[in-house]
């Protein structure tokens, strides 16, 4: 818990309410939440070395306090398969953000190991004024905004309740396996929900958690994009 509190306190003291994604993963680690291996870099040369160390394919994401929704400004580039492709992608990423986000500070770039496709789900948390900490689960990717297939529970919660929460969504049918696909690891997804609930319950400064998408696999699951928003509590 110590590291999470330090990360949150430092960002709040610097006037940031949006935790940089690579630090959000540090918080995830403390709560047993799986995420892809990554390196945070400040230059293209550092990025190339990171990509070689992680192994292609990789994903590039902008790290900027002025950019919360990275995809909206072309701040995410996926499917980078080689060193040559990396150079072009890195230049494109910086250009996209400069053109679409305007005068924002760019802290650096997240080089992240690309994860295989799985069933896309989402989990998250928020602090409701009336009910306190709440955890969300539902269909992930862009489908979360299209279908609004989500279920909520008060946090913290146990694994049995998390499984009931999954059953309250249409995503549960896909997780069980459709058209010959192998079923996803429901235990791992339920554990992720429980740990997300713990995070929003135990870290009182957290206002919002958004893990979307989460890739669910026949064995395990992985948060491939993490957004944590914090606020000072009086």
């Amino acid at each position: 818990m110590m590291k999470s509190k330090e990360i949150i306190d430092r960002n709040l003291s610097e006037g940031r309410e949006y935790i940089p994604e690579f630090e959000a993963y540090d918080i995830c680690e403390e709560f047993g939440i799986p995420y892809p291996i990554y390196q945070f870099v400040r230059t293209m040369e550092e990025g190339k070395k990171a990509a070689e160390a992680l192994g292609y394919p990789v994903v590039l994401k902008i790290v900027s306090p002025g950019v919360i929704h990275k995809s909206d400004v072309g701040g995410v580039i996926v499917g980078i398969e080689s060193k040559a492709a990396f150079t072009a992608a890195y230049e494109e990423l910086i250009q996209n953000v400069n053109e679409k986000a305007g005068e924002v500070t760019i802290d650096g770039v997240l080089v992240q190991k690309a994860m295989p496709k799985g069933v896309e789900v989402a989990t998250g948390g928020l602090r409701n004024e009336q009910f306190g900490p709440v955890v969300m689960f539902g269909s992930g990717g862009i489908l979360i905004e299209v279908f609004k297939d989500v279920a909520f529970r008060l946090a913290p919660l146990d694994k049995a309740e998390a499984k009931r929460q999954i059953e309250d969504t249409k995503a549960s049918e896909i997780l069980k396996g459709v058209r010959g696909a192998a079923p996803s690891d429901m235990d791992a997804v339920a554990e992720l929900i429980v740990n997300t609930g713990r995070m929003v319950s135990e870290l009182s400064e957290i206002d919002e958690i958004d893990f979307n998408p989460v890739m669910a696999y026949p064995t395990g699951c992985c948060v491939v994009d993490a957004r944590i928003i914090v606020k000072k509590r009086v």
Side-chain angles (χ1 to χ4, degrees):
M1 190 67 64
M2 196 66 188
K3 190 174 187 183
S4 296
K5 291 288 285 180
E6 283 172 9
I7 289 168
I8 289 169
D9 289 347
R10 178 168 36 76
N11 277 277
L12 285 171
S13 71
E14 291 170 2
R16 297 184 182 211
E17 295 188 340
Y18 168 57
I19 304 288
E21 188 175 354
F22 67 97
E23 291 194 313
Y25 289 138
D26 287 343
I27 297 174
C28 285
E29 186 167 358
E30 214 154 280
F31 284 86
I33 292 171
Y35 55 88
I37 55 173
Y38 69 87
Q39 287 190 34
F40 171 65
V41 303
R42 297 186 187 277
T43 66
M44 186 188 290
E45 285 312 308
E46 281 182 13
K48 285 178 183 172
K49 286 176 187 167
E52 291 290 327
L54 297 173
Y56 290 101
V58 297
V59 176
L60 291 185
K61 298 179 180 181
I62 203 71
V63 178
S64 166
V67 178
I68 294 179
H69 300 287
K70 299 179 286 290
S71 298
D72 293 353
V73 295
V76 179
I77 298 181
V78 302
I80 303 159
E81 304 273 356
S82 66
K83 192 182 279 189
F86 184 94
T87 302
Y90 192 99
E91 288 174 347
E92 182 187 342
L93 184 82
I94 302 299
Q95 186 177 345
N96 286 347
V97 174
N98 284 334
E99 285 177 0
K100 295 176 183 172
E103 295 292 316
V104 294
T105 302
I106 295 176
D107 291 340
V109 171
L110 196 67
V111 184
Q112 187 173 301
K113 179 75 173 171
M115 298 302 292
K117 288 298 285 181
V119 175
E120 289 193 13
V121 293
T123 186
L126 56 88
R127 202 162 295 280
N128 181 280
E129 282 184 18
Q130 190 173 354
F131 299 112
V134 175
V135 66
M136 177 279 294
F137 173 79
S139 298
I142 57 168
L143 297 181
I144 197 167
E145 290 169 15
V146 177
F147 296 131
K148 297 185 168 46
D149 173 36
V150 295
F152 294 90
R153 289 291 190 280
L154 297 179
L157 73 170
D158 61 19
K159 208 179 219 183
E161 189 60 38
K163 286 185 175 177
R164 286 192 285 272
Q165 183 177 4
I166 295 169
E167 289 292 338
D168 283 351
T169 67
K170 295 182 178 67
S172 65
E173 296 305 312
I174 304 167
L175 288 168
K176 289 170 188 171
V178 291
R179 294 190 175 176
S184 299
D185 187 341
M186 210 74 87
D187 263 350
V189 176
E191 194 168 324
L192 171 64
I193 294 169
V194 169
N195 289 337
T196 304
R198 279 181 51 230
M199 186 188 287
V200 72
S201 302
E202 293 177 20
L203 296 174
S204 61
E205 296 86 358
I206 286 183
D207 212 49
E208 188 180 323
I209 301 167
D210 185 13
F211 297 147
N212 181 29
V214 174
M215 294 296 180
Y217 301 113
T219 303
C221 64
C222 186
V223 171
V224 296
D225 198 83
R227 189 158 57 96
I228 297 176
I229 294 171
V230 292
K231 281 191 180 165
K232 264 199 175 84
R233 304 284 171 201
V234 178

